[in-house]
Amino acid sequence: MEVEFGDVLRGLMANRRLTVHGLCVAAGLAHADVGRLLHGDPPRPRILRQIAPALGMSPNDLLVIAGLSVTDVEPRKQHPLHRELIFLRAAASRLSREQVATLIEHAYQLHQGSAGTGRDAEVE
């Protein structure tokens, strides 16, 4: 029994409580790109590589799940807070516009507070 990738993607999104909009925002994709996948279009490596981090997965794992070949590519360097940033994007995708604006305001204030300390990328 063959499972369509759109069904697999729906399951991955449901397990992570990600909406289509949330996935699009987290992956930096248009609704149409994700919609095509969910409605049965064949997955393209470029799109999967963008979606994978938003799902908390490696791009190569998602390519394998989609039945696509994985080339020997040097892994990209990840930000030291990669997982935390993925979680933050996913969590923010479920907020209202007002809550997102407040979150951005707080992030900006935190950044300003750490600007003079040389600790911009660190978390305590």
Side-chain angles (χ1 to χ4, degrees):
M1 176 171 120
E2 190 172 320
V3 178
E4 292 289 323
F5 181 74
D7 295 329
V8 172
L9 181 57
R10 264 189 211 85
L12 291 169
M13 291 168 59
N15 287 342
R16 289 154 179 82
R17 295 184 178 174
L18 269 175
T19 63
V20 172
H21 176 75
L23 181 61
C24 291
V25 169
L29 292 169
H31 259 237
D33 292 324
V34 174
R36 282 191 290 272
L37 285 175
L38 292 172
H39 289 96
D41 278 14
R44 295 180 304 177
R46 179 187 67 79
I47 300 292
L48 296 183
R49 288 185 194 284
Q50 285 181 256
I51 289 174
L55 294 171
M57 300 178 69
S58 82
N60 286 349
D61 286 347
L62 194 56
L63 288 167
V64 168
I65 289 170
L68 300 174
S69 66
V70 178
T71 58
D72 290 330
V73 184
E74 190 70 27
R76 293 183 186 172
K77 287 246 181 200
Q78 291 185 343
H79 189 281
L81 299 173
H82 177 73
R83 289 191 188 279
E84 291 85 351
L85 292 171
I86 290 170
F87 173 78
L88 181 59
R89 273 195 256 175
S93 72
R94 294 187 295 269
L95 300 175
S96 70
R97 288 182 189 266
E98 294 80 19
Q99 290 171 318
V100 169
T102 301
L103 180 62
I104 291 169
E105 171 88 18
H106 287 292
Y108 179 74
Q109 290 171 357
L110 285 170
H111 176 73
Q112 290 301 318
S114 67
T117 66
R119 297 171 42 120
D120 290 342
E122 292 182 31
V123 170
E124 294 188 30

